[in-house]
Amino acid sequence: MSNYFFTDEGSDKKVFKEQIQKTLDVLEQTYDTPKCYKGALPEEVKKEITSIDVLPDEGMGFDKALNVLKEKVLPYMVFPPSKTYMAHLHSPALSEGVVSELIIGAYNQSMDSWDQGPAATNVEIHVINKLCSLFGFNNGDGAITSGGSQSNLTALFLARDAKLADLGFDAKHNALGDWSKKLVCYTSEISHFSFDKASHLLGLGYNAVRHVKTDSCYRMDINDLRNKVETDIKNGLVPFAVVATVGTTDFGSIDPLVEIHKICSEYGMYMHSDAAYGSALIMSSKYKNRISGIEYSDSITIDFHKMFLLPISCSAIIVKNKNYLDPLSFRAVYLNREEEEELGYENLVSKGLQTTRRFDSLKVLFSFMVRGAKGFDEIISKSVENAEYLYEKLKNDSDFETFNKPEISAVIFRYVGSSSDLNNLNKNIRHALMHMCGIFIGETETEGKTTLKTTLLNPRTEKKDLDELVCKIKEFANKNV
């Protein structure tokens, strides 16, 4: 095979265009159902995938390899753009986002130094500046990351070092010593598990994370937060950060941001808002008030592969004060020499945990330009309205128990028929929907009960689609699947 790359040469361009067209043809042939899944059971999927010869002695070439994908992989994929896919914070991908992925892959820029992506570097800076402006960070900065977990790890790292710097300790050059036993942070009992992992990675351990109780609306209980902070201070510990969750994974609940800010100010703590889910509300003219107070945060996690509907992965962390990023700075003579930066060559390697990373900010730029503020307002508002509709429908139906009045687009519920084992009944309903109807909804546990969950992100979803979902659940429940 002589055509290795998409280059400036005519023969390479010709082959690449042919490969793209063939791939589009296969996608068109396999994207052939309005349902999100064709129903295969786990053992069927495993059998097909494990029959593939991953590394044959002789390459089979593009056409035959593409056909293997067509026959053995693509039929067993889920289709997130389907209106029947509503299980997770896993969005359909806007078409311009998919096109962006083609450009990103073809140009293969790296975001660590200017000379690996001149335009890409400036696009990311420009996009980050716009995000800072949207969230009221006038002296802010940030970076694109691989996902919410990396953004949250970065935030906790910055919060830790900011607190230690205030206490006169240089964490960049010294082992933490006794500080590893004294530093504590706070997040709600239903926050994302990435903070426990981050605390472990930062040398503090799981035990440094205080899980604050939630109230009847699944929001952080401010009284419990204050009590935990005061108790830790009396015990000689050092509170350094509070994480406000702006859209919990299961419930989409939003912690009381203004009250959390007040406690952080009172006790000298860093405030991070994990808005991986709920940050998109900033684009909704009708619902942005639900995240009022987010501008008080010291840093914010934003996931574009959730409510912004961009292809995985694409996240960001932005900070209120650009100096918060200082702990990430490092000079590598082959990447970011100071004399080069003085000449205007901006290098992003010192703004994040990664060195090599993708030009994901292109997806944000392109989709923002294509849709505009009004387009994203419509997309996000529609998802919130769909969740409100489904919640009211279930709440007023005696066959169902509801748990949360949605603040964003997640609805937790369960079927409560006459079965003596409701936990298994609800599990079986979910599996029946998956394999018999190609409908994906989520499953979780709420107050010790097995519950079902919809996370509504698709602006194509209409009320009649939600009505059909409810009918299907009742149908399978009555069959006692």
Side-chain angles (χ1 to χ4, degrees):
M1 179 184 285
S2 58
N3 298 99
Y4 289 106
F5 314 114
F6 174 46
T7 74
D8 61 327
E9 296 183 7
S11 62
D12 288 335
K13 289 181 177 180
K14 181 175 182 293
V15 169
F16 185 72
K17 287 176 69 175
E18 290 173 353
Q19 290 176 341
I20 293 297
Q21 185 57 58
K22 290 173 181 176
T23 304
L24 287 173
D25 291 343
V26 166
L27 285 174
E28 184 177 5
Q29 293 162 25
T30 56
Y31 237 106
D32 59 352
T33 173
K35 302 300 183 182
C36 74
Y37 188 61
K38 296 180 180 179
L41 293 166
E43 57 268 26
E44 298 175 69
V45 180
K46 184 176 182 179
K47 180 181 178 181
E48 287 298 312
I49 300 303
T50 54
S51 71
I52 298 172
D53 186 353
V54 176
L55 186 63
D57 289 337
E58 296 289 336
M60 64 180 70
F62 182 87
D63 290 350
K64 289 182 178 179
L66 181 62
N67 193 61
V68 171
L69 299 185
K70 176 184 175 182
E71 298 296 328
K72 293 183 174 293
V73 178
L74 301 187
Y76 307 102
M77 305 275 262
V78 294
F79 306 109
S82 168
K83 293 186 285 185
T84 65
Y85 189 84
M86 54 191 86
H88 301 287
L89 281 166
H90 176 188
S91 74
L94 292 170
S95 57
E96 65 270 15
V98 178
V99 171
S100 297
E101 289 284 1
L102 175 60
I103 297 171
I104 291 166
Y107 275 92
N108 200 35
Q109 309 291 280
S110 183
M111 302 306 300
D112 36 335
S113 63
W114 188 92
D115 60 359
Q116 296 180 79
T121 295
N122 284 276
V123 166
E124 177 163 327
I125 293 170
H126 197 36
V127 166
I128 289 293
N129 287 340
K130 180 60 179 179
L131 295 174
C132 288
S133 175
L134 277 173
F135 287 92
F137 287 5
N138 297 325
N139 188 42
D141 203 349
I144 301 296
T145 70
S146 65
S149 292
Q150 187 186 94
S151 294
N152 290 337
L153 169 61
T154 304
L156 214 60
F157 166 66
L158 299 178
R160 182 200 68 181
D161 280 22
K163 184 64 175 182
L164 290 173
D166 287 344
L167 296 170
F169 182 80
D170 181 3
K172 181 180 281 191
H173 297 97
N174 299 288
L176 292 179
D178 287 342
W179 289 115
S180 65
K181 303 173 185 177
K182 292 183 177 182
L183 292 169
V184 288
C185 61
Y186 308 83
T187 188
S188 93
E189 60 187 354
I190 56 171
S191 66
H192 197 264
F193 59 83
S194 56
F195 295 103
D196 297 88
K197 283 190 171 184
S199 186
H200 175 204
L201 289 167
L202 293 173
L204 306 179
Y206 285 6
N207 290 337
V209 182
R210 302 290 188 260
H211 294 107
V212 181
K213 294 177 182 177
T214 53
D215 61 20
S216 60
C217 295
Y218 305 100
R219 303 166 184 156
M220 184 183 285
D221 185 319
I222 289 298
N223 292 327
D224 190 51
L225 171 62
R226 180 178 292 276
N227 289 338
K228 281 182 165 59
V229 171
E230 291 179 350
T231 298
D232 283 335
I233 291 173
K234 288 177 183 176
N235 289 332
L237 300 177
V238 181
F240 74 95
V242 179
V243 175
T245 304
V246 185
T248 56
T249 305
D250 274 349
F251 302 98
S253 48
I254 299 169
D255 287 340
L257 300 169
V258 174
E259 290 85 350
I260 290 172
H261 164 66
K262 290 177 181 176
I263 290 180
C264 286
S265 298
E266 184 177 347
Y267 293 99
M269 293 182 290
Y270 184 105
M271 177 179 170
H272 174 64
S273 286
D274 176 11
Y277 183 3
S279 53
L281 291 183
I282 199 73
M283 308 290 268
S284 171
S285 57
K286 185 176 181 180
Y287 299 108
K288 68 188 301 183
N289 63 303
R290 295 187 179 181
I291 59 170
S292 293
I294 197 170
E295 66 275 10
Y296 296 128
S297 309
D298 291 297
S299 57
I300 303 172
T301 289
I302 304 165
D303 271 8
F304 295 101
H305 52 242
K306 292 185 170 67
M307 286 197 86
F308 286 95
L309 310 186
L310 295 187
I312 297 168
S313 60
C314 191
S315 180
I317 178 171
I318 58 172
V319 294
K320 176 177 287 185
N321 187 329
K322 59 183 64 178
N323 293 332
Y324 280 139
L325 297 180
D326 287 349
L328 292 164
S329 65
F330 191 91
R331 290 289 173 189
V333 293
Y334 69 95
L335 277 182
N336 60 336
R337 293 181 302 280
E338 191 169 0
E339 69 270 17
E340 287 281 288
E341 293 185 348
E342 289 174 353
L343 294 173
Y345 297 95
E346 298 181 87
N347 304 297
L348 301 183
V349 68
S350 287
K351 291 188 179 183
L353 297 175
Q354 292 173 273
T355 304
T356 302
R357 57 186 177 85
R358 303 172 78 249
F359 180 25
D360 286 321
S361 60
L362 181 68
K363 292 182 280 192
V364 184
L365 174 69
F366 197 19
S367 66
F368 276 20
M369 290 193 300
V370 169
R371 305 288 164 174
K374 290 184 179 178
F376 275 100
D377 186 349
E378 293 172 3
I379 287 170
I380 291 152
S381 296
K382 179 68 176 296
S383 294
V384 178
E385 287 160 5
N386 278 337
E388 291 176 343
Y389 173 80
L390 179 60
Y391 168 75
E392 291 297 331
K393 182 177 183 66
L394 295 170
K395 180 185 175 184
N396 294 313
D397 189 326
S398 60
D399 285 336
F400 294 92
E401 178 182 9
T402 55
F403 293 82
N404 67 311
K405 184 175 182 179
E407 292 187 88
I408 309 181
S409 65
V411 183
I412 302 289
F413 62 96
R414 70 174 186 155
Y415 185 83
V416 287
S418 57
S419 171
S420 59
D421 189 350
L422 291 176
N423 285 347
N424 273 329
L425 176 60
N426 281 275
K427 286 177 181 290
N428 292 339
I429 287 171
R430 174 174 169 265
H431 287 134
L433 289 172
M434 187 184 304
H435 296 294
M436 298 175 70
C437 301
I439 298 173
F440 275 29
I441 61 175
E443 178 188 320
T444 188
E445 185 177 301
T446 309
E447 300 172 10
K449 304 169 182 177
T450 296
T451 49
L452 303 174
K453 179 177 82 164
T454 59
T455 307
L456 303 174
L457 300 176
N458 193 332
R460 296 175 60 241
T461 301
E462 302 294 342
K463 293 177 181 178
K464 62 182 178 61
D465 302 306
L466 302 173
D467 292 341
E468 182 180 348
L469 169 65
V470 174
C471 287
K472 286 292 183 184
I473 292 173
K474 289 188 174 189
E475 176 186 331
F476 287 121
N478 290 330
K479 292 178 180 177
N480 203 15
V481 291

